[in-house]
Every structure is written in C-alpha cells, then in structure tokens.
Amino acid sequence: MILINGNLAVVKGAIKSGCGFFGGYPITPASSIMEEIAKDGIKLMQMEDEIASINCAIGASLSGKKAMTATSGPGFSLMQEAVGYAHMIEQPLVIVNVQRVGPATGMPTKPSQGDIMQAKYGSHGDYCPLVFYPNSVSELYEYAIKSFNCAEEAEMPVVLLSDAYLANLYETVNLDIDIGIVNRKLEPVGNGARHYTGLSHQRNSPKPQNPRQYKSFIDRIFKKTYVIAKKHADYEYTGKKDSDTLIVAYGCVSRFLSGLKKKYAFFRPIRMWPFLKKELGKIAKNYKKVVVVEMNNGQYRREVERVIRKRLYFFRVLGGEINIPKISRGIRRIKCKATSLYSK
Amino acid sequence: MQGYLSLLKIKRLPTTWCPGCGNGLVIKALIQVMESNNLNKKNTVIVSGIGCVGRTTGYLKLDSIHTLHGRAIPVAEGIKTANPKLNVFVVSGDGDLLAIGGNHLLHASRRKTNIKVICVNNRIYGMTGGQASPATPKKTVTTTTPKGNEFEEINTQAIVTSNKNFFARSTVFHLDHLKKMIKKSLENKDFSFIEVISNCYPGYGKKLGFTSNYEMLMDFKKKFENQKNKSILKKNELGFLK
Ligand SMILES: Cc1ncc(C[n+]2csc(CCOP(=O)(O)OP(=O)(O)O)c2C)c(N)n1
Ligand code: SF4
Ligand SMILES: [Mg+2]
C-alpha cells in the first residue's frame, strides 16, 4: 500500500501497463502526471502544444510503444482533430483528461465534469470512443491499466477522465492488484508497405469517394468497440436500494454525495461511453424518482433521460463547488409532481 | 540510369495529381536516393501532411503515414523518438509545414530530432485551389489576394538555420541536384530540411501568366543558379547550409 494522489495513480497504472511513451504539454490540474513520468524514465516528449502532444503520441504508438498523453479541458479541445485521426487509423492510445471548469480558461484549479459530451463527440464525424471515469485514487490506478488494455484490445484510443478533485486527492492504493496486461499485437511501422491515412480508406488505399466503403468502416469501428465495451460494462450500484429514489452520480460528485447512501440508492457509471443503457435502464425501473447530480449544466442528464423515459430530477453543480446540505434538502423535497428541472 | 519502380505502388497509379505537377518528380528523386542508399521498407518510414504533396506517402512501398493537415512533423518525431533506428522522412507542402504546421517546424528544429523534412514548395495551397500560402511572394495575385499579396514570404531558411540545422534548396527541374541534397541530408545526423521549389500551374502559375507546368519548369531552369559562397544561400540559389 502506498499513499499517492490521483495523478500519480494514473502514472503508476501506465507504468504497470508497460507504457513506453508520453507526449504532453503542461496544464493545471494535469501537469503533475507529466512531472511524475519525467521522474520515472518513461520516454517523455514535452511538446510545444497539445496538438503536437497527441500527434507525437500517435507516432510513438505507430512505432510500437504503448503511448499516452494527459491534459485538461483546453488541451483536450486542441487534441480533438487528432482524436478522430487515431480512430480513423485505429491506433491504440490513452488520453487522460483531468477536468477543470470551462469553457475557455474557465476556473483552472476547480474540478468540473464539463467534458462528458466532448469526450464522446469532440471530434468531427462519427466515431465510437471508450471512456472511463473512476472516482477514487485506487480506481484511477485500476482504470489507467484497463484503459491501456482496452486500447490494445480494441486497437483504438481510449479516454480516461479524471477531475481536479481526484487529481489532488491522496488515498492509499494497493499496487499489487490482480489484473492482466494486454500486450501490443500490432506490428510497429518500419517493416512493411502499409498506408495509414485519415482519409476514408480500404486496407492500404485511400477511398475518399466511396460511400459503401465508408459505411462499412463506421459499422466496423462501432462494432469492435462495443465488443470490448461489453466486457467492461462497469458501474456501481449501492446505497439504500429499497429507497424510492435513485441518485445517478459519477466521478468526484459521487464521492461528495456518499453521505446520502444511507438514505438513497446510488448508480455510479464508470464506463461513461458507450452509455450504460441496458444496465441503468434495468435498475432505474425500480425507482419512483431518479435524480442526476453532476458538475455541469446537464450533459449526462440528457442521456439518462433518454433511457429511463420518465421525469428526471436534476441538480447541477457549477463553478467547482458543491453545497451538499442544499442538494440533500433538494432531494428530500422532491415531490413526484416534479419541481423545476434545474436547481438554482 | 536508375529506375524508380522498386518502391512505387504501381497498382495505385495514376496519381491524383495534374499532368506535369512537380510532385511526381520529387517521388522519383526520393526513390532513386533510397535505392542507392539502401533505404527500404525494413528501415524507413515516410510521413506526410495534407495537401497535393501529402498524397505522396500513399504511392510508396514503405510504411507510410498520411497525417492530419500540419501534423506530419510531430507524428514523425514520435515515430523516430520511439524507434531511433528508423530513417524517417517527412514530405509535405509549404502550406502544411510552414502555415498550419509552422509551430511544429520551429520546435522540431530546436529539438534537432533526426528527421528529414522535404518541403515541396509550390508557393501556394494547391489542393484547395490556389489560395496564398506563407511562401507566396509579395504582390503575387492568388484567389485570396486578388490585389496582390501584401506580405513578405516566410524566411524558412532563417528559421531552420538559426539552430544550425541542415538546410538545402533545390527545384524539381534540377533533379540531380535535388538527389544530391537528399543524400547530403542523410549524412547529417540531426534535423534536416530540404526546400524543393515546385510548380503548380493551375493553382499558381496560371495567374502569373504561365501557360503550362512545362513552362514553369523552364522558368526554374532560368532563374536558379548554383550557390556561390558556401556560407550564404541566396533565394535564387541551389545549395545547402550546415
Ligand atoms: C485543419 C485543416 N484545415 C484546412 C484543411 C484544408 N486543406 C487541405 S490541403 C490544404 C493546403 C495544402 O497546401 P500545401 O501544404 O501547400 O500543399 P499543396 O496542395 O500545395 O501541395 C488545406 C488548407 C484541412 N484539410 N485541414
Ligand atoms: S493542383 Fe497544383 S500541386 Fe496539386 S496536383 Fe495540380 S499541379 Fe500539382
Ligand atoms: Mg503548396
């Protein structure tokens, strides 16, 4: 057991996974990941910006290394074009986004969950990202490893979400967990005549004018991601399960609200995308009231609403600060008639 | 005379390029150098960005990476850093490397990563139909500068040589010279940049009064001369600085 914070846990997980390359650019609250990498001896390239960071990580992955980059919202925004590129060329990569309050420079030191939709839809065009969002330091360690594993299994980039709270939270972690490591199967570049292109393509040839080819590509990447996602339909269902209220919360917010577990049932998604439709749908059926609490203006809420198809209660937490008594009072006062969908 | 079929994906021909475009000549020079220097799919990777020149990578029998617009250099640096044994070439356009990818060029030359960057400079955004690029000379009429470009062209030579990197200039007309410059860059063990002046008749030459790609090549023959002083490389000179 060691006492470490969330960012260091991500680094420990990367080391355990055999990560061999890190490309990055400093940004609060993710910087300490790069600093820890620098101490460890994993090949580090500190680049001129986040665009270069993700692109050199893609290059290193092509060269056969398990590669990673870590950033926060502003940097994640800059990376988006390359996120789509990595999906298009089907190259394994782990992208860590330690969320802070946005948009723009926002509130750099405050936690947020404002990039939930960006993690899914941030790049242009259709693609199917695998996204995990743990809620403890141990889990960050575990899911850093799982992210590398899934990236290798799916041959796709994987996003690991964290936040400014978890990044700086110190907890004890057992590094000797029993978890297999998926090794690289792809042959590194420098040994063939393969062509990697962001153009729609078929095997080694660009096919930018062929709709049928494009459709089959999209179907294939969605399908292969779902196959891997299914193995990791990870969530936590806890609390007072026989209450009439189910609270849906994830990441740091699920930690802040843990005191309410005595009174209400809790659903905490860990695999954020693809959305846990079946899993949540089945559980939510048993509750009269479903409440979503998240640190944004209602991003995950909309997805939940689509699945449960009944009135949903939503508490937003904005500006990086949470007033737990107020939320708890709010939940207590919910009448089934439904009050305003938005909290003040 | 050497052929250059060994490394060409013949099944992928014809190329997407206009007849007479300089890009084909760059492929020819590059393959001939690779053949004579024993560079092949076992030891060499080629990376490009987006643009007409960017399509080069798809025609070569090498592991080839056609990256996003402007991102060839960071991807190439990642490849090279993760596997220093590989020979890594970047072949891309003036818009790709000097505009959208300009920041990467600045920093790759500071880091002195051992990659060979071949910038095919047709002084225009060819693929998107002839808009001004950072390498478009002042006063030139393009689709986005109908009254003539108001800015000076970028001084790539100064950027690259400020870190004492290898910088060479050649043209697609002077193929033997171009090959010599590529070979020379291979002797150099850090960041190397070769500017190859090229022709784009539809996007650039037409508005300047040329009537064909051929005429533009003849113009290179007339305008460029060999470097006179080893420590100076003028704009109209063919040669290198190290
Ligand atoms: C992010 C992004 N912006 C713009 C474009 C559109 N675009 C494609 S090629 C190109 C210009 C290429 O010019 P250059 O690098 O000089 O190559 P050339 O076509 O002249 O060979 C542009 C602007 C793009 N593909 N991606
Ligand atoms: S548009 Fe210009 S650069 Fe592009 S293929 Fe035609 S001649 Fe070559
Ligand atoms: Mg050009």
Side-chain angles (χ1 to χ4, degrees):
Chain A
M1 292 287 243
I2 53 167
L3 181 70
I4 53 175
N5 69 21
N7 277 355
L8 184 48
V10 170
V11 175
K12 295 282 182 200
I15 295 167
K16 172 100 174 171
S17 302
C19 172
F21 186 94
F22 183 95
Y25 187 83
I27 185 167
T28 303
S31 302
S32 64
I33 294 180
M34 180 158 62
E35 289 166 347
E36 291 297 340
I37 293 271
K39 281 185 214 159
D40 176 77
I42 289 179
K43 185 67 208 172
L44 164 69
M45 280 188 88
Q46 182 180 331
M47 301 302 279
E48 52 276 18
D49 57 31
E50 287 85 351
I51 301 176
S53 303
I54 185 167
N55 279 288
C56 77
I58 290 171
S61 179
L62 285 163
S63 259
K65 299 277 186 225
K66 287 189 178 178
M68 169 185 175
T69 183
T71 187
S72 187
F76 195 49
S77 294
L78 287 183
M79 289 180 182
Q80 289 306 323
E81 192 190 12
V83 169
Y85 179 69
H87 280 267
M88 198 60 148
I89 66 168
E90 301 175 59
Q91 198 60 35
L93 177 71
V94 174
I95 305 155
V96 181
N97 176 4
V98 187
Q99 296 168 95
R100 68 189 220 185
V101 178
T105 313
M107 303 167 88
T109 60
K110 299 262 188 197
S112 155
Q113 302 181 319
D115 307 345
I116 301 300
M117 281 299 167
Q118 188 186 28
K120 166 97 175 135
Y121 293 113
S123 199
H124 56 285
D126 286 301
Y127 61 109
C128 185
L130 255 171
V131 181
F132 295 110
Y133 190 176
N135 85 340
S136 70
V137 179
S138 309
E139 249 188 27
L140 275 165
Y141 173 65
E142 181 188 339
Y143 278 88
I145 300 169
K146 280 197 176 172
S147 298
F148 275 98
N149 281 352
C150 289
E152 296 304 327
E153 278 184 89
E155 290 171 0
M156 280 288 176
V158 172
V159 175
L160 178 63
L161 292 175
S162 175
D163 54 59
Y165 173 79
L166 296 174
N168 298 306
L169 177 70
Y170 277 83
E171 289 180 321
T172 52
V173 177
N174 174 14
L175 297 181
D176 289 322
I177 53 173
D178 183 25
I179 183 166
I181 301 296
V182 180
N183 290 323
R184 175 63 58 95
K185 288 183 294 288
L186 293 170
E187 185 71 25
V189 292
N191 196 20
R194 292 159 293 177
H195 186 53
Y196 298 82
T197 177
L199 283 169
S200 182
H201 56 274
Q202 184 171 32
R203 262 168 266 128
N204 292 314
S205 299
K207 291 269 187 283
Q209 308 274 11
N210 185 334
R212 200 175 334 132
Q213 165 52 36
Y214 177 77
K215 275 185 233 161
S216 80
F217 167 79
I218 292 295
D219 287 345
R220 187 170 56 73
I221 61 166
F222 272 70
K223 212 161 126 190
K224 78 168 178 175
T225 310
Y226 274 103
V227 169
I228 307 304
K230 220 170 151 181
K231 291 200 232 168
H232 302 279
D234 299 349
Y235 62 90
E236 198 183 50
Y237 175 37
T238 50
K240 192 169 181 299
K241 292 186 181 169
D242 59 1
S243 126
D244 68 347
T245 303
L246 177 72
I247 296 180
V248 179
Y250 52 86
C252 61
V253 173
S254 63
R255 294 294 294 269
F256 303 148
L257 299 183
S258 59
L260 301 181
K261 279 186 180 172
K262 285 182 286 222
K263 287 173 79 176
Y264 309 111
F266 264 79
F267 181 85
R268 174 172 74 91
I270 302 173
R271 191 192 83 197
M272 300 300 290
W273 303 110
F275 188 77
L276 293 163
K277 195 168 152 189
K278 215 175 65 203
E279 293 78 4
L280 176 62
K282 224 163 106 187
I283 293 168
K285 256 195 224 138
N286 308 322
Y287 295 89
K288 233 156 87 188
K289 292 177 261 182
V290 177
V291 181
V292 176
V293 189
E294 59 184 334
M295 269 192 160
N296 59 50
N297 211 20
Q299 299 188 13
Y300 202 70
R301 179 202 106 202
R302 255 182 271 274
E303 291 300 305
V304 175
E305 212 163 26
R306 284 211 310 223
V307 169
I308 64 167
R309 296 204 186 145
K310 57 182 160 194
R311 190 64 157 150
L312 183 95
Y313 304 90
F314 171 60
F315 292 87
R316 58 181 189 166
V317 182
L318 294 183
E321 257 173 36
I322 187 164
N323 184 337
I324 299 168
K326 200 173 149 195
I327 289 178
S328 136
R329 231 177 301 129
I331 296 174
R332 220 180 318 131
R333 284 187 193 148
I334 291 174
K335 303 256 162 41
C336 263
K337 266 199 277 151
T339 45
S340 154
L341 212 56
Y342 282 90
S343 60
K344 292 250 165 55
Chain B
M1 213 185 93
Q2 287 168 308
Y4 57 102
L5 300 180
S6 63
L7 289 171
L8 205 59
K9 285 183 174 165
I10 294 163
K11 279 196 192 138
R12 292 228 41 235
L13 301 181
T15 67
T16 54
W17 299 322
C18 310
C21 171
N23 292 341
L25 293 162
V26 177
I27 287 204
K28 179 172 177 175
L30 188 60
I31 292 183
Q32 290 186 346
V33 171
M34 286 183 178
E35 280 181 352
S36 65
N37 282 39
N38 264 328
L39 302 183
N40 53 52
K41 63 182 188 181
K42 295 273 176 219
N43 56 24
T44 305
V45 169
I46 188 160
V47 187
S48 66
I50 299 296
C52 291
V53 191
R55 296 299 289 266
T56 300
T57 42
Y59 301 120
L60 294 174
K61 276 190 199 154
L62 295 171
D63 277 337
S64 57
I65 299 97
H66 185 215
T67 67
L68 293 167
H69 192 27
R71 314 304 165 203
I73 287 181
V75 171
E77 283 190 275
I79 291 173
K80 179 72 184 177
T81 308
N83 183 0
K85 279 193 214 134
L86 288 176
N87 303 294
V88 181
F89 284 94
V90 167
V91 180
S92 220
D94 48 318
D96 188 85
L97 291 165
L98 308 177
I100 192 165
N103 198 24
H104 307 313
L105 172 63
L106 202 63
H107 290 275
S109 62
R110 171 179 64 86
R111 285 187 285 265
K112 295 178 144 322
T113 313
N114 182 6
I115 56 176
K116 312 299 163 198
V117 180
I118 298 175
C119 174
V120 182
N121 181 3
N122 52 16
R123 305 191 181 284
I124 202 81
Y125 290 135
M127 176 159 271
T128 42
Q131 300 82 5
S133 94
T136 304
K138 200 168 177 176
K139 298 202 174 120
T140 308
V141 173
T142 72
T143 60
T144 49
T145 56
K147 293 185 180 140
N149 182 15
E150 57 178 308
F151 308 112
E152 289 292 341
E153 67 190 272
I154 194 168
N155 189 345
T156 321
Q157 179 178 325
I159 294 169
V160 174
T161 55
S162 71
N163 293 91
K164 300 199 170 54
N165 291 306
F166 177 91
F167 178 91
R169 183 178 300 109
S170 194
T171 87
V172 287
F173 176 82
H174 303 85
L175 269 202
D176 281 333
H177 180 264
L178 173 56
K179 285 194 277 183
K180 220 158 70 191
M181 292 303 107
I182 301 174
K183 277 191 183 172
K184 203 96 206 150
S185 79
L186 292 168
E187 291 166 17
N188 189 44
K189 292 300 166 221
D190 51 30
F191 187 81
S192 306
F193 191 97
I194 303 162
E195 178 184 44
V196 190
I197 306 294
S198 185
N199 55 308
C200 171
Y201 165 69
Y204 184 71
K206 204 170 175 178
K207 279 206 158 69
L208 262 65
F210 290 97
T211 59
S212 67
N213 267 320
Y214 173 78
E215 226 179 62
M216 293 185 79
L217 286 178
M218 290 306 125
D219 188 55
F220 295 157
K221 180 183 177 183
K222 214 164 59 203
K223 281 211 180 109
F224 284 87
E225 50 190 54
N226 283 326
Q227 181 179 20
K228 292 200 184 66
N229 182 332
K230 264 191 168 172
S231 57
I232 302 169
L233 185 61
K234 293 192 189 142
K235 269 190 194 174
N236 64 335
E237 283 184 340
L238 309 168
F240 69 94
L241 292 173
K242 168 65 211 182

